[in-house]
Amino acid sequence: MSDYLSLPSRLRNTVLGIGLAASLGLAGYGLAVSEAHAAPAAVPAHPALQTIRLQLNPMTAVAHETGILKEEYDKVGIHQIVLVAPGSAQLSGAEAALLNNGGVAIAQRMIYPAVVHAARGLDAVIVWESQPSDGNRTPILARADNKEVNSIADLDGKKFGSSRVSCYWTAPFETLTKAGLPLDSRTQQGRIRYQSIDQGNAAVAALLSGAIDATAMHLGTSSAAALYTKGQVKVVGRTPTQGVYERGAGRVSYFAMRDFADRYPQAVQAFLIAQERAKQWVQDHPDEAAKIVAKATRVPEDVAKFQITDASQFFFMEGERDANNTRVTIKEFQDWYVANGDDILTDHRLSDDRIHALVDERFFGNGAYSPYRTCLLYTSPSPRD
């Protein structure tokens, strides 16, 4: 039995069921591969995986319910898929701990926190990156009834709270720095008081209670989508068009432990192919997809529909096929954030060699395990009964 099969007991309690796939996974995967997943180079023999554990999110919910995940993993000998729910009290960055401890196989984060995890020693590789972000992804939000804050300029001297190692810091950091209203840092006071709040629900509670005046969130998350669609928050600022965040730091990424990607590259490829197929299915069946997401993630159907169809969504983005372009964008945003006082990347800056090794080109473009090498002309399945 593979070491990847051992899960801490506290994580077993978060497993919703067998049969989803998203960002985190492991545990049991046969090495026999179909023609669709065959790689030019042989993979060294390793203990066969029988189960893979993945994050529960809108994409994996759809891929599971439609049978897409099962089809792709059956092809590579993995017959048990477990979706792990993040939990409402999860700390930002918890996916790195899950990945490192063997609780998941493939984790989703925006590229900046993925890079920070690597800079802090997580031996993981990026196996997929999205196309650039835009101003819809991570706006600055204030309480809807806060008459004192209606624009970025109104935040001068106010309190801003968010998770530090996330887009909820990188996006507003650029926005506010370029507006001449920098956030407080560890070494220097800025024009806006900054509070690090690593638990999402705590940040929402702080905003709604007035403990902070503003925050930043991905509108495509269930909590932010609910607040926004119900009129509880308003957008008071957006990221600079084609700025550092939109071009690089705000791209979505999937990353896996280097050892897992080396041992079981077909398992990673199967996930990436399932993602491509689920993306197309959602485009073709948005109403059915909303019902699936609502049931699986326990949110109202209108919130689920917003999550998968609004311009802010980030679960069904097009991928970046060029591994070298991914490396270039990482170098560019690391340089900018360091030059503008990012204390974490200043202390843990990645060298060019480490950035090169961080991006696993086997899963990009024409790489041996790229999902783009496989013909994706599948018949669109219907939801299972």
Side-chain angles (χ1 to χ4, degrees), residues 33-54:
V33 297
S34 69
E35 181 179 354
H37 292 271
V43 178
H46 292 291
L49 291 174
Q50 304 303 322
T51 302
I52 191 156
R53 291 181 172 86
L54 302 166

Side-chain angles (χ1 to χ4, degrees), residues 125-160:
V125 290
I126 294 169
V127 299
W128 185 89
E129 185 191 48
S130 74
Q131 290 292 315
S133 183
D134 59 39
N136 298 296
R137 185 67 30 74
T138 317
I140 295 174
L141 305 174
R143 205 173 65 240
D145 62 358
N146 186 343
K147 298 180 179 179
E148 295 183 1
V149 178
N150 296 293
S151 68
I152 292 174
D154 295 334
L155 291 173
D156 195 3
K158 298 292 196 299
K159 297 178 182 178
F160 185 98

Side-chain angles (χ1 to χ4, degrees), residues 133-139 217-220 238-239 246 310-312:
S133 183
D134 59 39
N136 298 296
R137 185 67 30 74
T138 317
M217 299 178 73
H218 296 314
L219 283 186
R238 297 187 185 274
T239 48
E246 293 186 7
D310 186 73
S312 62

Side-chain angles (χ1 to χ4, degrees), residues 271-328:
F271 172 80
L272 297 176
I273 292 174
Q275 177 193 219
E276 293 298 317
R277 293 183 59 192
K279 185 190 311 175
Q280 185 61 55
W281 196 92
V282 168
Q283 291 175 3
D284 294 339
H285 308 88
D287 293 330
E288 288 177 86
K291 289 182 172 64
I292 291 171
V293 172
K295 181 179 180 181
T297 64
R298 301 180 182 180
V299 299
E301 194 171 313
D302 63 321
V303 171
K305 183 72 174 288
F306 180 90
Q307 283 187 270
I308 65 177
T309 61
D310 186 73
S312 62
Q313 71 83 18
F314 57 91
F315 294 105
F316 304 99
M317 295 182 68
E318 294 299 319
E320 169 63 69
R321 300 192 178 200
D322 189 338
N324 285 326
N325 194 45
T326 297
R327 295 174 179 126
V328 168

